[in-house]
C-alpha cells in the first residue's frame, strides 16, 4: 500500500495540472463534444479519487497489506479499542486529511446544489410575476425586455424556456426554431447536472486553476452539443445568425457578425467567459470540421474508463502493489 499511495499521489498531480491544461487547449473536443465531456468527467472523478486515495492508503499503510485488511485494522482500533501503536503522527494526519477532504467535497457538492436550487426557485418566482406563457409554444414563457434573451430554467416537470420580446422581434421563424431546439437539448440531456458538478468542483478547489479551466470547457462543450441538435433541424447559417443575435445582443449586419458586446447565457447565470464561448461556437459553426473518426472516439472513451479504473484498482485490489 505504501507504493500505491505514491502512485495515487502522482496520478492526482498529473490530473490536477498538466492533463486539464492540455485538454483545454486541444482543438479536437469541438469535433466530438460528447467524447470530450466524458473525458472531463473521468478526469474530475479520477483526480478526486486519487487525491483522497493517496492520503488514505498512506495513513492506513501500517495496518495491513491492502485496503480491506487495513480498514479492518482501523475498525478494531476505533470500535474495539485495539492498540494503535503502529500508527504514527504522520499516519493520523494523512487519515484526517483524507476524511476532511472527502467531507469538504461532499459538503460543497450539497451546498452548491442548495444554492443553485434556491436561486432557481427565486428566479421562477420572478418569472411568475414578470413573464407570460407563450400562446403557441408549450413550457415557454416570454418576458418583456428589448434585449434578445433565451435560456432554459431546469426543474423537472416545471422546466421552462424563457424568451424575451426583443429576441422574438429579431428572429425569423427558422431562427427561433433553432433557439428553441437548442434550449430543449439542454433540458433533455440534463446539462444542468454537469454544470452543477463542475461548479461544485470549482467551489471546492478554487485554488486549483484547472478547476476553472474545466468549468469553462464543460460550459462550451454543452453549448456545442445543443448546437448540434439544432443543426439537425435548421441550416447552419440560420443557427449562426441566431447564436450571434443571442450572444451579442444585436442582429448581424450585412457586413458580418458583430463582436460580442452583451453577455446573454443560454443556460445558467451571466459570466465573463460567456462572450469567449460565443466566439468559439460561432467559429465552429462558420468553419465546420469533420467529427473525430470512430476509432479515435473509442480510444478516448477507453482512456476515460482506464482513468477511473487505475485509482480504483490501486485502492481496492488486494496486494496489487
Amino acid at each position: 500500500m505504501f507504493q500505491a499511495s505514491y502512485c495515487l499521489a502522482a496520478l492526482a498531480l498529473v490530473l490536477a495540472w498538466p492533463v486539464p491544461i492540455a485538454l483545454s487547449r486541444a482543438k479536437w473536443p469541438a469535433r466530438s463534444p460528447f467524447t470530450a465531456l466524458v473525458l472531463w468527467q473521468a478526469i474530475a472523478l479520477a483526480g478526486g479519487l486519487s487525491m483522497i486515495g493517496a492520503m488514505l492508503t498512506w495513513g492506513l499503510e501500517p495496518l495491513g497489506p491492502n485496503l480491506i485488511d487495513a480498514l479492518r485494522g482501523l475498525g478494531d482500533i476505533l470500535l474495539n479499542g485495539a492498540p494503535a501503536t503502529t500508527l504514527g503522527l504522520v499516519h493520523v494526519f494523512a487519515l484526517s486529511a483524507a476524511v476532511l477532504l472527502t467531507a469538504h467535497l461532499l459538503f460543497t457538492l450539497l451546498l452548491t446544489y442548495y444554492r443553485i436550487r434556491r436561486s432557481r426557485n427565486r428566479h421562477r418566482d420572478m418569472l411568475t410575476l414578470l413573464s407570460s406563457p407563450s400562446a403557441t409554444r408549450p413550457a415557454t414563457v416570454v418576458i418583456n425586455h428589448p434585449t434578445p434573451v433565451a435560456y432554459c430554467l431546469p426543474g423537472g416537470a416545471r422546466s421552462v424556456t424563457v424568451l424575451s420580446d426583443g429576441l422574438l422581434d429579431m428572429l425569423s421563424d427558422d431562427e427561433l426554431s433553432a433557439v428553441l431546439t437548442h434550449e430543449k437539448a439542454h433540458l433533455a440531456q440534463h446539462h444542468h447536472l454537469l454544470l452543477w458538478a463542475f461548479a461544485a468542483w470549482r467551489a471546492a478547489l478554487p485554488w486549483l486553476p484547472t478547476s476553472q479551466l474545466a468549468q469553462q470547457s464543460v460550459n462550451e462543450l454543452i453549448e456545442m452539443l445543443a448546437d448540434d441538435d439544432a443543426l439537425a433541424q435548421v441550416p447552419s447559417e440560420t443557427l449562426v445568425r441566431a447564436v450571434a443575435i443571442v450572444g451579442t445582443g444585436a442582429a448581424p449586419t450585412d457586413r458580418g457578425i458583430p463582436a460580442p458586446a452583451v453577455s446573454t447565457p443560454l443556460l445558467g447565470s451571466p459570466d465573463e467567459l460567456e462572450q469567449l464561448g460565443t466566439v468559439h461556437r460561432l467559429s465552429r459553426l462558420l468553419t465546420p470540421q469533420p467529427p473525430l473518426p470512430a476509432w479515435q472516439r473509442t480510444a478516448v472513451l477507453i482512456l476515460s474508463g482506464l482513468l477511473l479504473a487505475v485509482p480504483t484498482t490501486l485502492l481496492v485490489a488486494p496486494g496489487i502493489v
Side-chain angles (χ1 to χ4, degrees):
M1 284 223 303
F2 191 69
Q3 294 178 3
S5 65
Y6 279 94
C7 292
L8 288 167
L11 181 61
L13 183 62
V14 170
L15 295 179
W17 190 259
V19 170
I21 289 178
L23 182 56
S24 67
R25 294 175 179 174
K27 302 298 183 182
W28 69 262
R31 298 170 58 190
S32 185
F34 175 79
T35 306
L37 276 175
V38 172
L39 182 56
W40 271 116
Q41 293 175 76
I43 290 172
L45 290 172
L49 187 61
S50 298
M51 282 191 291
I52 296 171
M55 293 180 288
L56 184 64
T57 52
W58 190 19
L60 292 175
E61 189 270 336
L63 300 180
N66 55 67
L67 184 64
I68 305 300
D69 290 343
L71 287 175
R72 288 173 180 166
L74 182 63
D76 286 339
I77 293 174
L78 297 177
L79 301 177
N80 301 325
T85 54
T86 57
L87 287 179
L89 180 61
V90 66
H91 301 111
V92 174
F93 174 81
L95 286 174
S96 301
V99 172
L100 289 174
L101 179 58
T102 302
H104 174 62
L105 293 175
L106 292 176
F107 176 76
T108 305
L109 186 67
L110 294 175
L111 181 61
T112 303
Y113 172 79
Y114 169 75
R115 288 174 174 172
I116 291 175
R117 185 69 177 269
R118 184 178 60 179
S119 176
R120 286 178 184 160
N121 287 339
R122 287 202 303 262
H123 195 147
R124 198 180 305 278
D125 292 339
M126 291 179 61
L127 286 176
T128 302
L129 298 173
L130 302 176
S131 68
S132 57
S134 172
T136 58
R137 303 172 187 89
T140 302
V141 298
V142 180
I143 58 176
N144 183 15
H145 200 283
T147 301
V149 173
Y151 62 91
C152 56
L153 188 63
R158 299 193 301 161
S159 298
V160 294
T161 299
V162 182
L163 308 175
S164 68
D165 287 337
L167 182 74
L168 296 176
D169 291 339
M170 287 186 182
L171 297 185
S172 67
D173 289 342
D174 287 344
E175 291 162 356
L176 182 58
S177 175
V179 170
L180 291 173
T181 302
H182 178 105
E183 299 304 333
K184 289 178 181 177
H186 282 314
L187 294 174
Q189 298 174 25
H190 303 288
H191 291 161
H192 56 284
L193 298 179
L194 275 176
L195 294 178
W196 162 43
F198 281 90
W201 185 18
R202 184 176 180 182
L205 305 172
W207 45 268
L208 191 65
T210 48
S211 64
Q212 178 178 344
L213 287 176
Q215 187 180 30
Q216 176 185 351
S217 297
V218 168
N219 286 349
E220 292 184 2
L221 289 170
I222 64 174
E223 295 297 337
M224 293 177 186
L225 276 177
D227 284 342
D228 290 343
D229 268 34
L231 284 174
Q233 304 291 330
V234 299
S236 60
E237 58 270 17
T238 301
L239 180 59
V240 167
R241 181 178 173 88
V243 170
I245 290 173
V246 176
T248 65
T253 66
D254 293 337
R255 290 175 293 179
I257 296 173
V262 178
S263 176
T264 306
L266 294 182
L267 181 68
S269 58
D271 189 86
E272 67 275 7
L273 301 175
E274 184 66 27
Q275 295 180 8
L276 182 60
T278 299
V279 171
H280 290 168
R281 290 172 61 201
L282 288 172
S283 176
R284 176 177 184 261
L285 293 171
L286 291 169
T287 57
Q289 300 293 323
L292 285 182
W295 71 267
Q296 292 184 8
R297 295 196 302 270
T298 302
V300 174
L301 294 176
I302 292 174
L303 175 62
S304 301
L306 290 175
L307 282 178
L308 292 174
V310 169
T312 303
T313 302
L314 289 172
L315 277 169
V316 304
I320 191 168
V321 289

